[in-house]
Amino acid sequence: MRIRSLLLLCVSILWMGVIFHFSDQPAKKSSKTSMEVGRAVSSALVPGFKKWKKSKQNVFLRRIHRKIRKAAHANEYMILGLLYCLTAVSFLEGSPGAGVSGPDGSGPGSPGAGVS
């Protein structure tokens, strides 16, 4: 088993822990985190956001709050899916019959493969 495969497997498991941690947060703490992320994203992407009055900023943040939460969930699971794919590919790369050609170019995808 290769180091890269094990490392990717460990990172995948760690990422599952991150998802569990965020899912286990009480509603108030989770909401506060989402609002902080919304404020940071808005400060970076919305022209003039930092100059707005606090009340206007808060109204805007409440409007995008649900979208921020949905985007966060989608990104968490997208990253997990990517890690799973990379892990699977790394485990399959050197296994027999995984589509990897031999030194002479022979393999499952080469012409005449499987012909005796």
Side-chain angles (χ1 to χ4, degrees):
M1 209 173 292
R2 297 175 8 185
I3 299 289
R4 178 177 171 223
S5 300
L6 289 176
L7 180 64
L8 281 166
L9 181 62
C10 289
V11 171
S12 298
I13 292 169
L14 250 139
W15 191 252
M16 286 189 291
V18 168
I19 292 173
F20 179 78
H21 170 74
F22 282 125
S23 298
D24 194 41
Q25 286 183 342
K28 282 187 178 185
K29 184 175 183 182
S30 178
S31 184
K32 182 181 177 194
T33 302
S34 298
M35 290 296 269
E36 289 170 0
V37 169
R39 187 175 301 281
V41 169
S42 298
S43 294
L45 299 178
V46 178
F49 180 82
K50 292 179 184 176
K51 296 177 185 175
W52 294 356
K53 292 180 182 178
K54 282 284 188 199
S55 59
K56 184 177 178 181
Q57 287 180 355
N58 289 335
V59 167
F60 181 77
L61 291 172
R62 281 192 296 274
R63 284 182 53 213
I64 66 167
H65 180 78
R66 182 175 169 85
K67 292 173 180 77
I68 292 289
R69 292 179 67 83
K70 294 297 178 186
H73 280 97
N75 281 303
E76 284 175 340
Y77 285 98
M78 178 193 64
I79 291 168
L80 183 62
L82 178 65
L83 287 169
Y84 278 168
C85 287
L86 290 172
T87 302
V89 166
S90 73
F91 274 104
L92 292 174
E93 275 179 341
S95 66
V100 179
S101 297
D104 62 349
S106 64
S110 62
V115 177
S116 300

